[in-house]
Amino acid sequence: MACAELEALRLALMNVNGTVDEHVKQHAEAEIGDALEENGPIAALANAETLDEIQRHLDAALVDLEEKASDADSTDPHGAYLRGRVVAVRDAEQRIRRLRERTDGLLEDLGETHHTLHEAFPIEE
């Protein structure tokens, strides 16, 4: 059973970070399988290159997953697995949201530091 959403998220974060771990990449691609070739949220997420894209495609993938989980038989072990994936992907979505908030805060802090530096050391242009 594939955890396509989480593996696609790992690929997306490698894109954003500019790092490639071939072992992780190969494992993720194998786990995702045919969904990488389809025109859906998993493939879009795996290819995301910004945090905005990651948030958007992860949300779309979560909507699809929630639909599959709600349609699954409550006594079927696969249904329980799908519901577990929903919890894990919701957690990942919150983590990405917090990461985005932190990077936005860092950008703001750097802007304030720059402004303070110019206040402390004014330069005539």
Side-chain angles (χ1 to χ4, degrees), residues 108-125:
E108 187 176 314
D109 290 349
L110 290 172
E112 289 176 19
T113 298
H114 183 226
H115 180 72
T116 301
L117 181 63
H118 282 286
E119 284 181 345
F121 303 98
I123 301 173
E124 299 260 343
E125 293 184 24

Side-chain angles (χ1 to χ4, degrees), residues 40-99:
I42 296 297
L45 176 58
N47 292 307
E49 295 181 346
T50 67
L51 289 176
D52 282 342
E53 289 177 1
I54 288 174
Q55 283 181 302
R56 185 172 59 253
H57 298 307
L58 185 59
D59 184 53
L62 181 57
V63 167
D64 286 355
L65 179 60
E66 287 173 332
E67 185 176 306
K68 289 177 192 170
S70 69
D71 291 344
D73 183 350
S74 63
T75 61
D76 180 12
H78 182 68
Y81 170 72
L82 288 173
R83 289 185 295 280
R85 274 175 53 193
V86 167
V87 172
V89 174
R90 283 182 182 166
D91 180 63
E93 187 178 42
Q94 289 175 349
R95 289 171 184 242
I96 294 299
R97 188 175 308 116
R98 285 193 302 268
L99 176 62

Side-chain angles (χ1 to χ4, degrees), residues 1 14 16 21 23 27 43 58 64 107:
M1 293 186 231
M14 284 195 301
V16 169
D21 180 327
H23 177 72
H27 174 79
L58 185 59
D64 286 355
L107 286 170

